[in-house]
Amino acid sequence: MATFSQSAVGKGSDSFTDYCCSPCQEHEIDQWAEFYCDNCLKFYCAKCINLHGQLFGKHVTYGRGDTSKWPVSKEVEDFIQKCDLHEDKRLEMFCNDHSQLCCTNCAFLNHRQCAKLALISESVKGPLPDLQQISRKIETVLVELKKLQNYWDTNMQSLQVSYKKQLHEIGQARKRINIILDEMEKTTLKELEDKMMCLKASVNTNVENCSKLQTELKRLSDTIHDIVDKGKAELSFIASKKCLQKINQSETYLIENLVQVESSLTFQADSDFQQHLSKLSGLGKIVVCTQAVPPHGDPNKVLTVQGRSEYNVNIPSDIFKRCDIRAICVLSNDQILVADDDNERVKLLDHQYQVVGHCDLNACPTDICLITPSEVAVAVYDTETHGAQFVSMNDGRLVKGRKLLFQHPCWGIANNQQDLYVTSGTALYKYSMTGDLLNKLYEDTSSSCTVNMCAVSPSGDKIFVTKSEHNKVITLARDGTVLCTFTDPELVRPRVIHVTAQGQVLVCGGESGNILQLDGEGKKKLATLATRSDGLHLPLSVCYNRSSTSIIVGQLQRADILVFKVK
């Protein structure tokens, strides 16, 4: 009856189901149907329906606009009626006790004792279920599953990064151990050399003493031969005395060295050290760190400010005491990074917002985004260079890593699914993590400040962009399509925008001196969180700290960051 186009179905994909023209299919032509005849129980394409109309003018046909009156395809029926456990069986029964659909095998194996097992035909009572409502529910669940999948994809990428980092750490640990062993070897070799020198000096002294005594005795002996029988009494007297004195000296030396000592060197390895090493199974322990991540929250939950604090982030080595804090980022360990544009450095703050470290960049930082739990990418610029400087945490210190260079200015930067989103002032670009340009998503060249900063929703399906020159915030789809535009009289010269882990959208007006919360779509204002009366001057950066449930704000020419406690 119903002719189904198998090629129109992408198994396991998002492709839709369709029907083929019955006459065309009889001639082995795969042509989609546009009409269904209720009398013929066949489908027709636009061409075949004309011939059908000439032959059967009184037949009732339904076009694409009345697909609800088209029959269900056999393939769809087979898919719906197939048992999930026994694929060669059709679902024929329903168990009310377990609220389960059953084929004959299921009924025999698992539901023989059930009292309310009946045929499906007998179970169909009352009004039909609202399939449209169920379809909408499916779409909602699919969205949530996609968000969860995106999270696991991101987690896998983060896991791979941590794996590579620990490979490096193991190599560094081995190098440190090698350095220690090298130093120990040097110390032992020096001790060997010192003892060797000492023994050689002692033996050389003995050799020299023997040689000296021999030389002196031999010379005296030769002298005696020269004066013997010469009748020289005085010479003979002196020679005899000298010879006897040297003989006594030599005999005394021989007696002192009667027992000859042979010196040698022996290395005795530290058995305790070797035994300790033999007991070790590795260079250290591999620890699996887990962190509970809260479920996706409501992006439209309105934040409420409950208090405000100020913290100075100047350090003694700063050249400028008033600085532009252009970006703020919270690391996974709840430590905070702030980008100090004037002093060209990134500063590390502890949980009490005290500066505990910094990293000099030799360029002006304009934005920061989290790459992994312990690594960030910093957008930087100078007169000749535009790029992204990677900075990571290593043993509590900030360390510069690789750097990506771009052919255009780099003002804003965001990361999602290992894609880097970069704004240039007039365009939004998408790059790979290795710096390859993937595509230009959006561009507005009407002025120089039309694409300032960007932020990505947790699911990655929306990109929020500030258009400072036009006093707007636009929401883009993944492909750069403009989904909506937000404007409000309260929002003047918006620069920075931030999305929380729950999907809440925060945007700061530079000249209006305020923080607004938009809905999760970026369509409307939900609340004004802070204004000039709360101490805002010219906000340049904003970030939500989930751990302390607070909003951190950096400003123009201010060394103090503002921390708003929210609930």
Side-chain angles (χ1 to χ4, degrees):
M1 178 182 72
T3 307
F4 179 70
S5 173
Q6 185 67 25
S7 62
V9 178
K11 293 182 179 180
S13 71
D14 296 330
S15 300
F16 58 89
T17 304
D18 215 318
Y19 301 83
C20 277
C21 173
S22 302
C24 289
Q25 196 170 49
E26 291 175 3
H27 293 84
E28 298 183 352
I29 300 174
D30 192 8
Q31 180 64 46
W32 284 3
E34 300 291 339
F35 297 91
Y36 171 71
C37 178
D38 200 26
N39 299 89
C40 300
L41 304 180
K42 290 186 177 182
F43 294 90
Y44 298 93
C45 64
K47 182 178 179 181
C48 292
I49 195 65
N50 292 330
L51 295 174
H52 173 273
Q54 294 174 13
L55 295 173
F56 309 103
K58 295 184 179 181
H59 282 197
V60 178
T61 59
Y62 301 104
R64 288 266 176 190
D66 294 316
T67 52
S68 60
K69 297 178 180 178
W70 289 20
V72 177
S73 69
K74 182 178 183 302
E75 283 76 5
V76 171
E77 285 188 0
D78 289 344
F79 171 73
I80 292 295
Q81 293 179 342
K82 182 177 68 175
C83 177
D84 293 336
L85 296 177
H86 309 97
E87 295 188 356
D88 59 335
K89 296 291 184 180
R90 292 167 63 89
L91 296 169
E92 299 179 11
M93 301 179 192
F94 182 73
C95 177
N96 278 284
D97 293 343
H98 296 92
S99 196
Q100 286 184 353
L101 294 165
C102 311
C103 68
T104 53
N105 283 6
C106 292
F108 178 76
L109 295 173
N110 304 318
H111 300 276
R112 282 183 292 175
Q113 306 299 323
C114 297
K116 296 181 180 180
L117 182 66
L119 293 171
I120 292 177
S121 58
E122 297 174 357
S123 300
V124 179
K125 297 178 182 179
L128 293 175
D130 188 346
L131 295 182
Q132 293 293 338
Q133 182 178 358
I134 293 175
S135 179
R136 289 191 293 271
K137 180 63 176 177
I138 288 175
E139 291 301 319
T140 301
V141 174
L142 284 173
V143 169
E144 293 303 314
L145 285 174
K146 183 62 177 176
K147 290 180 181 178
L148 186 58
Q149 181 184 350
N150 288 342
Y151 165 75
W152 289 122
D153 287 341
T154 303
N155 184 256
M156 176 59 73
Q157 293 159 359
S158 176
L159 180 62
Q160 188 65 32
V161 170
S162 70
Y163 169 76
K164 291 181 179 179
K165 182 177 181 181
Q166 298 320 306
L167 281 179
H168 174 73
E169 289 297 323
I170 291 171
Q172 292 299 110
R174 176 57 187 267
K175 288 181 180 179
R176 289 192 292 269
I177 292 174
N178 287 344
I179 291 172
I180 294 172
L181 291 174
D182 289 343
E183 290 299 320
M184 293 173 66
E185 182 182 11
K186 287 180 182 178
T187 301
T188 305
L189 289 173
K190 188 177 185 307
E191 182 183 359
L192 175 65
E193 186 69 22
D194 291 344
K195 289 188 181 300
M196 180 62 180
M197 293 297 294
C198 182
L199 289 173
K200 283 176 66 176
S202 176
V203 172
N204 284 334
T205 299
N206 289 327
V207 169
E208 290 173 358
N209 289 337
C210 286
S211 178
K212 182 180 179 182
L213 289 172
Q214 289 179 74
T215 300
E216 291 175 348
L217 283 172
K218 188 173 184 305
R219 187 173 181 182
L220 287 171
S221 177
D222 292 341
T223 301
I224 290 174
H225 286 297
D226 289 339
I227 64 174
V228 70
D229 300 330
K230 300 293 183 181
K232 298 289 184 178
E234 290 183 3
L235 289 177
S236 297
F237 179 80
I238 293 172
S240 65
K241 294 299 181 183
K242 278 191 172 183
C243 287
L244 290 173
Q245 183 181 8
K246 189 58 64 177
I247 290 170
N248 288 334
Q249 188 179 350
S250 298
E251 287 177 342
T252 301
Y253 181 76
L254 287 172
I255 292 171
E256 290 176 350
N257 291 274
L258 185 62
V259 179
Q260 298 177 10
V261 178
E262 181 178 317
S263 299
S264 64
L265 294 169
T266 303
F267 172 65
Q268 296 178 348
D270 189 334
S271 59
D272 292 339
F273 176 69
Q274 293 184 358
Q275 203 169 28
H276 176 69
L277 284 180
S278 66
K279 292 179 181 179
L280 299 177
S281 59
L283 298 179
K285 293 183 179 180
I286 304 299
V287 180
V288 177
C289 301
T290 58
Q291 180 180 1
V293 178
H296 294 291
D298 180 9
N300 296 326
K301 179 185 177 183
V302 178
L303 300 173
T304 305
V305 175
Q306 293 183 309
R308 182 183 72 99
S309 303
E310 292 185 15
Y311 300 92
N312 190 288
V313 294
N314 266 140
I315 57 177
S317 60
D318 283 346
I319 298 175
F320 299 98
K321 299 308 176 184
R322 297 176 66 182
C323 45
D324 295 348
I325 304 299
R326 291 188 174 270
I328 302 172
C329 180
V330 179
L331 300 174
S332 60
N333 61 359
D334 296 331
Q335 287 187 304
I336 300 157
L337 294 180
V338 297
D340 184 344
D341 177 81
D342 283 350
N343 292 293
E344 295 186 357
R345 54 181 36 161
V346 172
K347 298 175 180 177
L348 177 66
L349 313 183
D350 62 15
H351 301 162
Q352 285 74 44
Y353 303 99
Q354 300 301 307
V355 181
V356 294
H358 70 276
C359 176
D360 291 330
L361 300 174
N362 300 320
C364 298
T366 59
D367 201 5
I368 299 177
C369 71
L370 198 65
I371 302 297
T372 71
S374 59
E375 184 182 37
V376 298
V378 184
V380 295
Y381 78 95
D382 57 27
T383 55
E384 298 179 356
T385 303
H386 307 288
Q389 173 67 62
F390 287 78
V391 177
S392 60
M393 284 283 292
N394 191 348
D395 294 330
R397 297 182 300 108
L398 295 178
V399 180
K400 288 191 293 187
R402 60 196 178 96
K403 186 175 182 179
L404 303 180
L405 298 179
F406 305 122
Q407 298 299 316
H408 55 78
C410 178
W411 296 110
I413 192 166
N415 168 50
N416 182 266
Q417 294 288 305
Q418 295 297 291
D419 289 328
L420 282 178
Y421 295 91
V422 178
T423 61
S424 68
T426 58
L428 173 67
Y429 300 88
K430 182 165 76 170
Y431 285 88
S432 70
M433 204 57 69
T434 57
D436 296 323
L437 177 61
L438 302 179
N439 57 323
K440 182 191 293 184
L441 294 175
Y442 177 81
E443 187 173 28
D444 182 352
T445 58
S446 60
S447 69
S448 60
C449 295
T450 55
V451 183
N452 294 81
M453 296 293 168
C454 64
V456 186
S457 64
S459 61
D461 60 338
K462 290 182 289 293
I463 308 162
F464 304 95
V465 176
T466 56
K467 297 171 68 69
S468 179
E469 192 76 18
H470 297 155
N471 300 325
K472 294 178 180 178
V473 174
I474 61 172
T475 305
L476 306 177
R478 280 193 179 94
D479 61 359
T481 303
V482 178
L483 300 177
C484 61
T485 301
F486 172 81
T487 59
D488 189 277
E490 288 189 30
L491 189 65
V492 183
R493 303 288 290 188
R495 178 187 180 274
V496 62
I497 192 162
H498 174 73
V499 180
T500 72
Q502 306 300 321
Q504 295 148 310
V505 181
L506 307 178
V507 60
C508 290
E511 290 188 4
S512 51
N514 52 12
I515 305 173
L516 305 185
Q517 180 181 348
L518 311 186
D519 69 334
E521 303 295 322
K523 292 181 178 179
K524 61 181 181 179
K525 178 179 68 177
L526 298 181
T528 300
L529 302 180
T531 64
R532 284 196 174 93
S533 63
D534 299 301
L536 286 177
H537 172 55
L538 288 170
L540 291 179
S541 54
V542 65
C543 182
Y544 177 73
N545 188 344
R546 184 176 63 194
S547 176
S548 62
T549 59
S550 58
I551 297 173
I552 310 170
V553 182
Q555 303 188 89
L556 179 70
Q557 296 186 348
R558 291 287 192 275
D560 294 329
I561 59 171
L562 302 179
V563 179
F564 294 94
K565 186 71 176 177
V566 297
K567 69 172 183 178

